[in-house]
Structure formats: C-alpha cells, structure tokens
Amino acid sequence: MKWERFVRPRAYLPGPVGPAPPAPSPAPARPPPAAALDPGVRLPRARTPRRGPTMAKRSSLFIRIVEGKNLPAKDITGSSDPYCIVKVDHEPIIRTATVWKTLCPFWGEEYQVHLLPTFHSVAFYVMDEDALSRDDVIGKVCLTRDTLATHPKGFSGWAHLTEVDPDEEVQGEIHLRLEVVLGTRACRLRCSVLEARDLAPKDRNGASDPFVRVRYNGRTQETSIVKKSRYPRWNETFEFELEEGAAEALCVEAWDWDLVSRNDFLGKVVFNVQRLRAAQQEEGWFRLQPDQSKSRREEGNLGSLQLEVRLRDEMVLPSGCYQPLVQLLCHEVKLGTQSPGQLILLIEETTSTECRQDVATTLLKLFLGQGLAKDFLDLLFQLELGRTSEANTLFRSNSLASKSMESFLKVAGMRYLHGVLGPIIDRVFEEKKYVELDPSKVEVKDVGCSGLHRPQTEAEVLEQSAQTLRAHLGALLSSLSRSVRACPAVVRATFRQLFRRVRERFPSAQDEAVQNVGNMDTPASRAKEAWMEPLQPTVRQGVAQLKDFITKLVDIQEKEELDLQRALSLQAPLVKEGPLFIHRTKGKGPLMSSSFKKLHFSLTTEALSFAKTPSSKKSTLIKLAHIRAAEKVEEKSFGSSHVMQVIYTDDAGRSQTAYLQCKCVNELNQWLSALRKVSINNTGLLGSYHPGVFRGDKWSCCHQRDKTDLGCDKTRSRVTLQEWNDPLDHDLEAQLIYRHLLGVEATLREKHRQLSAGPEAGPVLTGPGGAPEDPVAQLLQVLQDLREAHRSSPAGSPPLEPSHVLELQT
C-alpha cells in the first residue's frame, strides 16, 4: 500500500465532502510528510476522514459598508465617483452602487456571505468610476480572518484606506515537492516546481505569463515561461548543494514575464531549510505570500471607510442531534398558554434587548420550518395582549412578539412583496426622474433641445415631481389592494388570528389596524410638512383602499388556507429569474464562430429553463439534479469577467457545459449563489473544474490537451450570498438557538430554581425512564446533551480542503 498526497482522477471524493485538487503529472510515490515546514504559509495538513456522523463548520461574514470620508479627488472637477468592491481572498463578490460627484459617499449597504472556514481575508477596494477609461483605484481596507476572530462582536468603525501596492496584490497557490537528497560527500536540496493555480492576472487580457525563480544560498534558477495562463504546469526540478549548518532560507518566487516593462511579482513562499532537513521531504500546495519588505506610505491621506464586519463560525451537528430541542420547543408552542413552564416566555425574559431581534428571527425560522409559525406568533400575541392596556400601544415595544412579527413579515412575505411591488419599484429606478417636493431642496436644471436650453422654473419642477409621485404612489397602492389572493396563506391566517385576539381583548378597537398610513393624513402631519399637501388626495384614497385590503386579507377560512397551502406545495418555487446571455457556437473547424444570445432564464427547485421573453413558453436547459458545478469563467476566455459556467450531465450521461454571461459582478454572484444552493445536495458534485474553455485542441486556462481532464482549479460550491428567498436551514437555526440558550444557561437555572422553590411548586414529576416532565428541566437536560454531542463529535475540524485529501491505494 502507498499513501499519496493528491487524489487521482478516479478517486475524487463525491460532492459535499469538499473540493478536490487537480491531479499532478505522474511522479514517484512519496510517504506522508514528517512535519510541516512553515506553519505560517503552509496550507493545512492532511487529515484522514473519520467514520460516523460529523459536524460541518460553517463560516459567514456579515458586512455593512456605511460611508467614506475625505477621499482624494480623481476627476478634473475636483471630485470623484466612488464605489466599493468587496473581495474575499481576491475574489470579487460584491459591488456597491456608485455615488456620483462626492468625496464623502454614503452607501449603507448590507450583505451576508457564506464561505469556507479556510478563507484568509476580506478586502474593501474603493474605486472611482470613469466612463471613458479604466476605473481608478483610490485605496483599500483589508481585514484578515485572524483580525475578525479577535472581535467576537465584530469590527465596527472607521478604517484608513491604504495604497494598493501591486507587489502585495498576490493570490493563488503553488504545488511544490521539496526533499533532501543524501550523498556520499554532501547533501543536496532538490526542489520540484510542479504547477500553480489561481495566479493574479497581471496582463490586460486577464492572464499572466508566469515563471518561477528558486533562490538558495546565493544561487538562482528559473523555470520556463508559460504564456497566457493563470494555471501553469512546469514539472521542472532544481538542485542546490546543502551546506552543513547553513541558515539560508529557500525562497520560491512566482513572476509574470513582460517583454517591454519590468516583470510583475506574483507571490513567494519561503522555507526554513533546517526544518526541511529534519523533515527530509515535503510536498503540497503552498499559499503564495506578498512581498512586504517595502515601507508603507503614511496612512490617512487616502481617506477613510466606515465598516461593520462580523465573522460567525458555527459547528453544526447532524439533524438528529437537534431533534430533542426542536421537539421540546414545538411541544411548548402547541400547548400555548396552557404550558406549565411557559418556556417561550422564559426565553424572552432571559434574552437581552441587544440580541432579541436575532433570537426572534431564528425562532421564527425554526417554527416556520416546522409548520408552526402561526401557532408561535399566536402564543406571542396572547402574551403581548396580556400585558397591554391600550390597543394603540401593541407591538410598539422591543418585545419578542414585535421582533418576531417583523421577522415573520420579512421571511414569509418578502417573495409576495417582490412579486407585487417589484415591477413598479424597478420602473421607478429605470425612469431615473428627478423628484423633489421640498422647495428648499429643488435643483433647477436645463430643459429643451440643443441650442434652445432654458432653465426649469421651481414651480415646474415641483409640479412634475408631484405628478410623478402621485403616479407611482397610486400604482403601488392599486397593485397592493388587488393582491389579496397572491398573499401567502400563512400570512393571511396569522393576521386573521391576530385580529381575533385583538377583538377579544379590545372589542371597541376594531379600526386600529390602519394608522392613517404613517400619520400622513392627519392635520398635524400636513402642518409639519406642508409641501406634502399635493399627495394628500392620493394618500386619502390609499387609506380607504388599504382598509378594504386588510378586511379582505383576514377574511380567510381554514379550508381556503389549507387549499392555498396545498396548491403552493405542488408548484416548483421560483428561485431566481432574469435576462442572461447564453453562449452559442456555429460551424466547425476554422469556420466555427461563437456569440452570446440574450434569453430570459428561470431557476426553480427542479430545473434551469429559458424562454425568448418572460411570458414565452419555457424550455428546460438543465435539470437541477444533473448540475455538477456552477463556477466563474476567467476573463480572457470571452473578454468579460462576468461569465459563469454550469457543468452538468445530459440525459445520456455525457458531461456538458453551458456558458452564461451576466451584466455585472453582483448579478454574476447572485446567479452563482442561487445555482449552488439548489444543487448543494446533488450527487457527483465536482471538486475541481477548468476556469477556461476548451478551444481548438487545449484548455485555455492550463493548456492541457485532454478535454476530459478533471480541472486545474478547485470548485467553490460553499461560497454563496445570503438572499431574501433562501431556503430555510433547519439545522443551522437549531444550532443558533442552542448557542443562545447556552449563553443564558446560568440565568435559566436560576429561574428554574426560583420556580421550583416558589409557593406554587409541586413535587418533581418524571416521565418514562426517569426523564423530567418539567419543561425547563427538560430544556436544561437537552442543553447538556447537546454540549456533550459537540464535545464528542468525531469531526471538530474544517471541511476537507484539496491538500487535506489523501488517497489510499493498493
């Protein structure tokens, strides 16, 4: 038997286990390494997969890009047009909106990104948009994973922008084999440079011309140059005399060759030769490091960026481990106010105001997944009504009921709102009309044809703005009032139950539901903002429409609710849709041509389909179960950085690839996220892929001539963006509730002690097998069991990375 560091093509582990590396060129078998050479730069060492159910470590980044200040002027007008690009390990994942003509932009944009726990850094690049030339780089803020890990509550505040130094903008990994060769007179140090992947693109075509320079003890040797590739393969070996006691380090540098200008630095790896001598040999993928020898400019002269960034790592157990906790909470909700322990009330009392919104959202998602959202909210309604003396103060506090209702409307009603109001809001943005009703803020602009320009009067601006706002507001109210049947049954049934509870508690307060549409229809509001008067007729009409809408909304019977839910369950829910450009080829050989054709695509939980227009008949392109990977295509392949590929198998079992072009980086990552989420449990997911295309007789990325080659880069199936229509993650929600309850366990025990010692406390009851029947005692026991499950789980380590995977061959 022999151990090999790298997985052979026939032995790739299936799907979700983790990305597998590309197979190197044939080489003599080597035993496992004896020791790591440099823990600071080496990728994680190999781990043998263990048996039994394992935990999955999940990492998420919560990002809020607030604003910038004191940015340098990049335009001749003395201003800039700034926007932000967010990169995780140099991979662009987010682009903010551009704020025009300002040095102090405000964005206020929030994102949540799910990634592999092994990511290294997140960087925020502030750019200046330029319509005629390449966008200018203003500066960046980089936060490493280690930095974020030292801030449990997240990093929040202002950070100085620093200069973007090309020698520090390195990425990718290099595959090396190092060994000490014993000789009769002296030892020799042998360094085999095998390949590299995901190198930084240094040329305008989106590629590089890489070569490697190996330096030791004053001697330098270089590999050949691989033209136009970010995934080069060299398979070249160099040897150096190894002097006894020499303290010199071995330095392996990657460079981009340039014919005219100086070569560009791509990164380096430095090895301690004394450690290598002790280990005798080492082979693996090594992360390229930047050159930090140059002195940095004084910080602060490029402006600052206000950020909020929080890292969350969760070790999620298998589903079965959370069943006792979920069943206990569900049992308490079904009992409602008849529960002897009032577990939900106890959770509210032990939850601080600071984290109540998070707890409410997590509980709501958990019960929504169990089909008990209405029952959970009804229990909270009763608790809220029990401590409220006036109807107009309902849901005005920071109670668990108000926070849960807010989360419920977002989670259960967001798809409905997107469908009903989305087209109108999209039209508002597409029209880009200037609107202002406040006379003190009106900007007078030129109107008319060329040569006949005249400035608009203030009265004209105000009248056009009022007309535009009345049209948009009327369209929104009209669309909403006609959408009763489109509203989710669970939302309608929950509001019906709320109305019943309020009517029982406050019989005379039946008209409190509509509060004059944000108090805009009251004399006080008209006196405070007199310039809103042109909208009052539309508002008054809208109040009447909304009252009628709410009356119809809650008029739903149990049978109708069940019928609507049943009809919805029979439909394949729409995950994402929109226009994309699909790559088509015509002809063969020298006459072959290619182009992109615009079509309307729809992604459901069953298939990716397309049609000529949104209303045309759809044709299935790819069945969901056949998807094997959804990844980006490198820029040089089609001259665009916004192209993705969907690798799938057709009905005959043959591997196929669809190339789809998006309009921007945000759309690209949103589609990739959607495709990855709906296919994450597919069998046969790929661990590696080709980021290029097979053109002519070779792959454009790594220049390999075998079309069936398994790939030169690792897939990123776990890297996704959080979206409003994401499916519920039951195990994660249960883990988040467990973690919260664990944090207040001491308070729960004290509350339980007080309840047990109170005058109404009776004897401690136990059920079959001696388990306590007291719900609080049961909860404490469940927390103890989950704590033990976390301690004894056989896999407290991150998911397997390419350099983790070993193959056992006979």
Side-chain angles (χ1 to χ4, degrees), residues 484-495:
V484 171
R485 296 288 298 176
C487 186
V490 65
V491 174
R492 296 183 63 188
T494 301
F495 273 108

Side-chain angles (χ1 to χ4, degrees), residues 61 116 179 274 335 364 368 433 556 629 714 716 724:
L61 276 177
L116 287 171
E179 51 193 327
Q274 295 303 317
L335 287 177
L364 188 280
L368 194 63
K433 290 184 177 179
I556 180 174
K714 53 190 176 183
R716 296 165 177 83
W724 59 267

Side-chain angles (χ1 to χ4, degrees), residues 94-115:
I94 296 165
R95 185 202 192 276
T96 69
T98 300
V99 184
W100 304 101
K101 297 180 175 59
T102 181
L103 302 180
C104 296
F106 178 83
W107 290 286
E109 298 186 18
E110 296 182 4
Y111 303 90
Q112 183 177 348
V113 188
H114 305 292
L115 359 106

Side-chain angles (χ1 to χ4, degrees), residues 6-61:
F6 304 98
V7 177
R8 299 296 182 194
R10 66 176 184 277
Y12 272 110
L13 296 178
V17 173
S25 301
R30 301 288 174 189
L37 297 182
D38 192 338
V41 297
R42 181 109 175 45
L43 291 181
R45 294 182 56 79
R47 291 186 179 93
T48 305
R50 307 179 189 182
R51 296 180 178 179
T54 60
M55 289 192 291
K57 187 174 183 181
R58 306 183 188 182
S59 293
S60 298
L61 276 177

Side-chain angles (χ1 to χ4, degrees), residues 216-235:
Y216 175 70
N217 204 19
R219 186 182 170 199
T220 301
Q221 300 187 64
E222 295 181 353
T223 67
S224 57
I225 299 168
V226 179
K227 296 290 188 67
K228 299 180 181 178
S229 176
R230 294 173 53 226
Y231 300 85
R233 297 187 180 183
W234 292 285
N235 293 314

Side-chain angles (χ1 to χ4, degrees), residues 456-517:
Q456 271 187 313
T457 66
E458 181 180 296
E460 288 176 329
V461 173
L462 293 174
E463 178 57 29
Q464 288 183 5
S465 298
Q467 290 178 2
T468 301
L469 285 174
R470 282 195 292 264
H472 289 323
L473 182 57
L476 287 168
L477 291 170
S478 176
S479 180
L480 190 62
S481 64
R482 297 194 309 267
S483 68
V484 171
R485 296 288 298 176
C487 186
V490 65
V491 174
R492 296 183 63 188
T494 301
F495 273 108
R496 176 195 63 201
Q497 190 67 10
L498 173 60
F499 264 60
R500 286 178 181 174
R501 296 296 185 190
V502 173
R503 191 176 294 116
E504 292 170 0
R505 179 70 175 83
F506 303 103
S508 61
Q510 296 185 22
D511 297 325
E512 295 283 350
V514 181
Q515 297 183 4
N516 294 324
V517 189

Side-chain angles (χ1 to χ4, degrees), residues 572-579 599-604 606-622 671:
L574 181 67
V575 177
K576 187 170 179 61
E577 66 175 340
L599 295 170
H600 188 84
F601 282 82
S602 301
L603 177 65
T604 68
E606 293 181 353
L608 177 65
S609 306
F610 66 90
K612 288 186 177 180
T613 65
S615 57
S616 302
K617 183 180 179 181
K618 295 180 176 61
S619 301
T620 298
L621 175 65
I622 304 170
W671 271 102

